[in-house]
Amino acid sequence: MLQRWKHGRRCHGLARRCSLPVLAEYLDACGSLKIDDIENTPLIAVDLELTGLDKEQDQIIAIGWTQIDDGRIRLGSNRYLVINADKSVGSSAAIHELMDHEVAQGEDLEVGLGELFEAARDRLWILHHAGLDIGFIKKACESWAGIIPGFIVLDTLRIEYRLRKRREIPVKQGDLQLGQIREVYGLPGYTAHNALTDALATAELMLAIASRLDSDSPLKLKPHLKFF
Amino acid sequence: MHDISLATEFLHSVPPFNTLEVDDLRKIARKLEAAYYPQGKKIFSSGQESGLAVIRKGAVRLVDDEHKFLDKRSEGELFGHKIWFHGEQRNYIAEAEEDCLVWHLPAADFSLLCERNPLLCEYFSSHLKTRLSAAAQVNRSVTLLRDLLKRKPVMIDRGASIREAARLMSREDVSSVLVMNELKLAGIATDKDLRHRVLAADLDPGEAIERVMTPNPKMLSADTGVDAALLMMMRQNYHHLPVVDERSYPLGLVTAGDILRSQSEHPLRLVRDIHKKSSVEELVQLSRRLPSLFERMVTLGRDVEHIGRMVTHITDAFTVRLIQLAEAKFGPPPIPYAWIVFGSQAREEQTAKTDQDNGMILKRKADPEEAEYFSRFSTFVCDGLDELGYVYCPGEIMALNVKWRVSLAKWKRHFDNWIDKPEPKAVMHSSIFFDMRCVHGQSELVDELLSYATTRAKENRIFRRFMATNVLGHRPPLGFFRRFVQEDDGTQSEGLNLKHRGIVPITDLVRMRALEGGIQEANTFSRIELVAANGTMNEGDANSLRDALILINRIRLAYQAEQVSNGQAPTNFVPPDDLSPLMRRNLKAAFMLVVEAQKALALRYQVH
Amino acid sequence: MDLKTLTFIVVGATFALYIGIAFWARASSTGEFYVAGKGVHPVLNGMATAADWMSAASFISMAGLIAFLGYDASVYLMGWTGGYVLLALLLAPYLRKFGKFTVPEFIGDRFYSKGARLVAVICLIVASITYVIGQMKGVGVAFGRFLEVPFEIGVLVGMAIVFIYAVMGGMKGITYTQIAQYCVLIFAYTVPAIFIALNLTGNPIPQIGLGSTMSDGSGVHMLDKLDQIVTDLGFAAYTAQKGTTLNIFLLTLSLMIGTAGLPHVIVRFFTVPKVSDARISAGWALVFIAILYTTAPAVGAMARLNLMNTIQTGEVGSVDGNLAYADRPEWFKNWETTGLLQFEDKNGDGRIQYYNDKDEAFAAKAAGFGWQGNEMVKVDRDIMVLANPEIAKLPNWVIALVAAGGLAAALSTAAGLLLAISSAVSHDLIKGMIVPGITEKKELLASRLSMAGAIAVAGYLGMNPPGFAAQVVALAFGLAASSIFPALMMGIFNKKMNREGAIVGMLVGLLSTLIYIFWFKGWFFVPGTEMAANTPDNWFMGISPESFGAVGAMLNFIAAIIVSKVTAAPPEHIQHLVEDIRVPKGSAAAVDH
């Protein structure tokens, strides 16, 4: 409760200071976001592809997202953007299969962030293992707009981890990878490490987890939030 | 570009969406909404607002108001639309049988989709038989002649003079002109006509063009597929044909060259090349191209009927060329004859290189010297075919065998024997020999023999009863409770034998029907059309059988294409587990139709 | 082991055998078995044909008829055997050359007339259903006895089993199943006969035993002994001829030509590719049929003797000469539950008096013994073959075997007939005449429905007073004899016979026979509408309605020939066809077309 209030205050404050209209509108909406159950809260699932794991050195090279309304993923809202980076993708290409020449033809990071925050307006974020990606986004925002916005996030990894701990299911290394958890919920196997596919996969997983946590009525989201 | 491909890729494997172009699929995909339902959760009751749902993963059970089980749907299958259960359309409740991920197409978008696409509309609004029919329509994206027409035809009134016509032709720089009678096509006049019928015949160029034109030329509808058109032109040896609309008004001219150019590397180019070769060695060289050609045709996903006709046309071309070479080598034949082919080549249903089945009909009995000629002649042709890869027939049904190189009268006696003494071997023979076609020589001989044989078979129900017993020897691979029965070689299951247990039974059934109706045509599709037309077979039954044949063939070809692209040799065995649930269901429906037709046959002839 | 269990085991085992063979044959017919081109040996095919031919009527009813009618029942033996010979020699070869395997098809094509075909279809359907009645009755008797339930329930069980058997159909056409059925039924028929013959006459061969002396040392011939026993009780002498010779002759003829066109046996001649093989199997079939048919008179006579001896234990008229009801044997009680054997103690002495109270002279004499009428108020003829081994106190396994044999006979014939009926209805009638564009699905449905309908009709008639069934039988065979047979013969042997002649002939034969039967049995069998009492005195020249079919056939011939002479000859191609089928094929083929 306190956290939410703090977050709201921060957002409104940042919105006033922000000179970029897209981000300002996002922040404004973010401060007064209504959070109810999964069917009545607009959501956006996001995933990034990175050249590496170090946010000081590495860069975002792709962003993918999809929106959820009324508890259903709207496939029409799918978006996938390749971002140009000045740094070589290097060995990370083996993971996301993006080559330097493709990356070179990508959009500028600013354009990508603009689109992302426009899509995320009035929406709660869903990410799998949120900490890493949010870190990169914050860093990017800093150089883009000079401010570091706050985020309210449903982290599917964290929710699943807590769920398992509560049910005393032992968790081993690798068990909480996106693909592994999806298998448990009977979701189809996708090729991992495409930003859009992963975002979609995360969105589906969120719906599955929600139905598992509370199968009688739509899941109340407030207890599962994580603030960044 | 990538945004929606995940969805379109999946939709592309889901009938009936696989009939759509990628652009249309994308439009649909953008309307989709994904939802997750845990096991046991109700998804919706069918009705106005349910829209259409695709199961992306998991399984859904459909139950009625009293929660009685109606049907089950699994991955890649649809629900939400009107569904027939046991021939009756009912409302139903859909609930998750397993955890499942479902893609919803909202009701408004669904009805819009149906409005725009009548084929889909038919698919969603009808029950089993029509569903089969819609499934059989899949993948028919054929280029039509309409698409090839470039310029308007050059036309002239039939009353115009030859001079006027010639001037028009040079002005327009064309080699032929269409002669019109009001709004109807009356004839065609070409450069050649002007040379032969005017200049060479010293005709007054003031005469009406009507006098020298070729009247009532062959025409093709603009909606003819290019494959069919090309096949017809090559077979009849036409160089250019007028293309007309539904009111027979000319839209343009098309030449075989136009078509070939439009289809780069068309299989039938081979046919042209075959006719240019003048030795067996050269032909053998050409024949090396065959395997890759078959693969290409299969992977192109062409219409089954046309693949059969094209492959057969190539075989025919090789055969005819060898016969021409033989005639050149041994001199003209002492007796008029016809070279006939049997079995799948006769039916124009070859889908891969097979062994040769052929024979000769001589107009009269040959004396020893003449017999010697035909012996050398047939040896040359059959050996040649063998070298080309059409290996000797293990049953020795070849012109090489003196038994199948006899006079018309002797051929009739062969048929008399089979019909009067239908011993197992005779029945087997007749099922091969009733599929007969002339590829070279005096086709009247073949016509006479066929008319004699089919009339005899039509009149003799006892003989047909023996054939019916034989036909019932090949049953579709459905066991008790309609489960698939797989072939096995004793150690491991090999899958469903779609050829012997699917296609052969249908071909056999249709042959029976053709004999009942006294039809001489050999091609299965043509036979089906003819028996339905002359009332031997109920039209609905005929259509069902045709659809079943198309469907089974398509699944077989699709599987073979996959095998080929995986670098395996194509087989006729398809493991049912490799098929999508809908394909499995359609295949089962097709087999059920065959079972039904066989039961009706058993009833008609009191055999079991 | 008690009889009931044993019966279940034996019947179950035979069924398992048939089904097993059917599966084996179907599995191998698709494989190398067929390609190897091995046909069925003519001897085996003969057995299969015999199984088709011999029905429950042959197995169960014939010996029963003989047991009670005595000598006169021999017309059935002669008629049915003759019918087979006629079919094998006169009909099958020519139909084969004509290329048709059903009689309506032949008649329709030969007389280029749908009307003629329709008449033939209807006559055949009626005749076939009548034949099924006999099967249903036989199955009902067998089931009633061995399940120890009333006869009607037995019939219902039988109907269900016959329906399933016929719909499964698969087993019918398979020659090896038929062969197995023949083996079961002939074994079941002859084994008890041998036992009983040995018992009574000391001679194991029933056919010889029938003419031998009794083994009790009296030196009396068995038939003389039987004659004496039955006349003692006021029945007509067993070996006496009761009807006029003309009537017996005509009845035999009617049965012969009435059965000649039965569809289910004709088909079997066309399962052999070569005509010569078909002829050889027909010959063998006759041998196999004869084994049963020649045993039947012995079975009938001995069964009657045993029955009389069981009830009349001592001197006629002596106080303890009759069996006490309380002492009645087990088989007596069992048959009482079926309702096919009924006793009513009219004089209240607790003993069973079985005699002919219709014979006035003997009835008066019996009254002197204190007898007040025949107390065996019901003795169904059809129980004789099944009860025979029990009466003769043979071991239980023999009795169980007889049940299996009776079922084999009934099932093989019933299934064949039902398939023929359903094919005639769905193919000839519905597809051929009423709805030519019918879908295959509906055709199949029609065949199932007609099968079920035929079973229902036959079952109903089988359950109801046998008198009614007998009348329908007479009607059916009369109609077939008077309409179809002449048309077939003229179609084959008279190339000038035309459509008009054939139709008029069939109608004349049909109507004359129909009217004659109705005249004595009531219009449409409605009691009270008879024009004259059904007694030999009123009959035309002493010819009974059952025998009139042969006369109708003659009228048919005469009318057809007269009409064909005054109307246009049949088309050229039909005349050629008729010439062709009678000329041996070899000479026809020599002329090069």
Side-chain angles (χ1 to χ4, degrees), chain B residues 215-231:
Chain B
N216 305 320
K218 204 90 185 131
M219 299 178 274
L220 283 169
S221 154
D223 293 319
T224 314
V226 289
D227 285 346
L230 185 55
L231 204 56

Side-chain angles (χ1 to χ4, degrees), chain B residues 459 461 466 473 513 538 541, chain C residues 30 99-100 105 270 437 440:
Chain B
E459 279 168 0
R461 191 144 166 248
F466 279 93
R513 290 303 215 163
N538 174 283
D541 289 341
Chain C
T30 55
K100 309 291 174 211
E105 242 190 330
F270 307 138
E440 290 181 337

Side-chain angles (χ1 to χ4, degrees), chain B residues 40-278:
Chain B
K41 179 132 180 148
K42 178 177 155 181
I43 298 171
F44 55 58
S45 307
S46 70
Q48 290 293 316
E49 293 307 312
S50 48
L52 184 69
V54 186
I55 302 172
R56 177 60 187 85
K57 179 85 195 202
V60 169
R61 54 196 274 126
L62 309 180
V63 296
D64 67 6
D65 301 338
E66 286 150 12
H67 219 84
K68 272 203 224 94
F69 178 81
L70 293 170
D71 200 1
K72 184 183 157 171
R73 298 284 152 117
S74 45
E75 190 175 320
E77 298 192 330
L78 304 170
F79 63 98
H81 55 296
K82 292 172 187 162
I83 298 179
W84 268 255
F85 302 98
H86 313 294
E88 178 192 5
Q89 190 206 322
R90 301 180 59 169
N91 285 328
Y92 54 90
I93 298 167
E95 54 182 43
E97 178 160 290
E98 301 162 9
D99 294 342
C100 56
L101 187 62
V102 172
W103 288 352
H104 293 277
L105 182 64
D109 296 308
F110 179 40
S111 49
L112 204 65
L113 174 70
C114 287
E115 264 169 46
R116 290 196 183 148
N117 194 324
L119 188 69
L120 289 194
C121 182
E122 188 200 342
Y123 183 92
F124 287 119
S125 57
S126 46
H127 58 293
L128 180 91
K129 272 193 184 163
T130 23
R131 186 173 75 196
L132 198 59
S133 155
Q137 298 284 337
V138 164
N139 278 336
R140 201 178 266 192
S141 50
V142 179
T143 318
L144 304 179
L145 285 184
R146 190 184 293 285
D147 308 328
L148 293 184
L149 297 176
K150 281 183 212 91
R151 61 174 294 173
K152 286 211 174 277
V154 178
M155 295 183 277
I156 196 162
D157 188 78
R158 64 178 172 150
S161 67
I162 295 171
R163 190 178 294 113
E164 283 172 297
R167 282 183 184 152
L168 180 68
M169 284 164 74
S170 35
R171 193 164 61 241
E172 297 281 342
D173 193 21
V174 289
S175 59
S176 61
V177 63
L178 299 181
V179 184
M180 301 297 290
N181 175 11
E182 313 258 305
L183 287 174
K184 281 243 180 73
L185 182 64
I188 186 168
T190 62
D191 276 351
K192 211 167 150 191
D193 293 331
L194 297 184
R195 272 203 317 274
H196 289 282
R197 296 182 192 161
V198 183
L199 294 177
D202 251 346
L203 193 75
D204 176 13
E207 288 277 344
I209 184 75
E210 203 177 3
R211 281 198 56 185
V212 295
M213 71 182 185
T214 308
N216 305 320
K218 204 90 185 131
M219 299 178 274
L220 283 169
S221 154
D223 293 319
T224 314
V226 289
D227 285 346
L230 185 55
L231 204 56
M232 187 235 166
M233 292 172 82
M234 302 198 90
R235 202 186 280 156
Q236 315 269 356
N237 206 16
Y238 290 128
H239 297 291
H240 36 252
L241 285 182
V243 176
V244 295
D245 67 9
E246 54 274 15
R247 289 188 304 275
S248 299
Y249 185 78
L251 296 175
L253 268 176
V254 70
T255 66
D258 287 342
I259 301 179
L260 284 181
R261 265 190 301 282
S262 79
Q263 312 262 293
S264 62
E265 242 199 76
H266 194 279
L268 291 185
R269 265 170 187 256
L270 186 63
V271 174
R272 289 192 148 186
D273 297 345
I274 289 169
H275 284 292
K276 289 180 193 146
K277 303 296 174 197
S278 51

Side-chain angles (χ1 to χ4, degrees), chain C residues 25 30 47 67 100 114 141 227 243 250 252 269 279 313 345 361 443 496 547:
Chain C
T30 55
M47 278 192 195
K100 309 291 174 211
K114 277 195 170 184
V141 170
D227 267 350
L250 289 177
T252 312
F269 287 100
R279 226 172 264 145
T313 48
D345 197 359
E443 215 179 317
K496 294 278 182 205
S547 316

